[in-house]
Amino acid sequence: MGEQELHTDGDDARSAPETSTPAIPEPSAQSGSSTSNDAPSLADLLSPASICLNATAQDWRDAVRTSGTLLAASGCTTEAYTDQMIAAVERFGPYIVIAPGLALAHAQASDEVHRTGMSWLTLSDPVSFGHPDNDPVFLVIGLAATDHEAHMTALQQLAMLLGEPSARAALDAATTPDALLDTITRLVGKKDS
């Protein structure tokens, strides 16, 4: 398994565990819905049960808990994995807030992960995680991984979609989980053409 790049604050004496946050890989020409190595796409790792739009959260713990509950509801994890995600932020700080307004909630692979999957949680009112540059957060992506590789294509697609203003606007306009999944599938498919 390859080494993982981490998103940590350089001045922070605490360091995140090696498997905590892989940097979102740079999008490549091969990051579409089907790949030569059959890695699952972003749409493959999401399901209507793992998506919640315009939710409310009292604070970052509530947002991460909701994201984890979505992972559990879709069969990817147990609720104990949600506790592990919260504990990681309590221990290492807001390193999961990887871009303005975006948190990638996750914990190390464990027996609490049944299969690789993702959740998508948008917040009607953003919450603060305590990140000096990227707060407040209004999109929490939950990630549960059984290994260090299977989710990389999905993360590339996520970076591509969130980094492109017109794609981001289309994602933000989705009002149902099915509409969000349809939008992701359509946009990722366009990039393959």
Side-chain angles (χ1 to χ4, degrees):
M1 292 186 203
E3 289 185 23
Q4 301 293 314
E5 233 180 287
L6 300 178
H7 285 280
T8 60
D9 294 330
D11 296 335
D12 194 345
R14 301 168 297 181
S15 61
E18 179 182 337
T19 58
S20 285
T21 304
I24 292 182
E26 289 298 316
S28 69
Q30 308 232 343
S31 36
S33 58
S34 61
T35 62
S36 59
N37 64 359
D38 293 326
S41 70
L42 179 58
D44 293 335
L45 295 184
L46 289 167
S47 72
S50 69
I51 298 169
C52 182
L53 306 175
N54 295 314
T56 58
Q58 298 303 310
D59 57 21
W60 70 263
R61 282 179 185 83
D62 195 23
V64 172
R65 181 153 310 280
T66 301
S67 178
T69 298
L70 292 168
L71 288 169
S74 65
C76 295
T77 67
T78 67
E79 283 293 337
Y81 182 76
T82 301
D83 295 333
Q84 292 171 355
M85 292 193 304
I86 291 169
V89 177
E90 288 172 341
R91 180 172 180 198
F92 301 111
Y95 73 99
I96 67 169
V97 183
I98 59 172
L102 171 65
L104 182 62
H106 64 283
Q108 292 183 358
S110 73
D111 291 341
E112 306 305 329
V113 177
H114 301 306
R115 64 179 169 81
T116 298
M118 297 176 84
S119 63
W120 185 290
L121 172 68
T122 61
L123 300 172
S124 56
D125 294 309
V127 297
S128 174
F129 278 68
H131 194 282
D133 302 316
N134 294 331
D135 270 344
V137 169
F138 52 86
L139 174 60
V140 181
I141 302 294
L143 172 64
T146 57
D147 62 36
H148 300 292
E149 302 297 325
H151 57 284
M152 297 308 282
T153 294
L155 288 179
Q156 289 173 339
Q157 292 170 346
L158 178 65
M160 174 189 66
L161 294 176
L162 297 180
E164 189 172 300
S166 63
R168 182 59 189 260
L171 294 169
D172 290 343
T175 58
T176 67
D178 287 327
L180 179 72
L181 285 170
D182 289 346
T183 301
I184 290 169
T185 300
R186 179 177 50 82
L187 291 172
V188 169
K190 277 181 151 178
K191 300 300 171 190
D192 286 343
S193 306

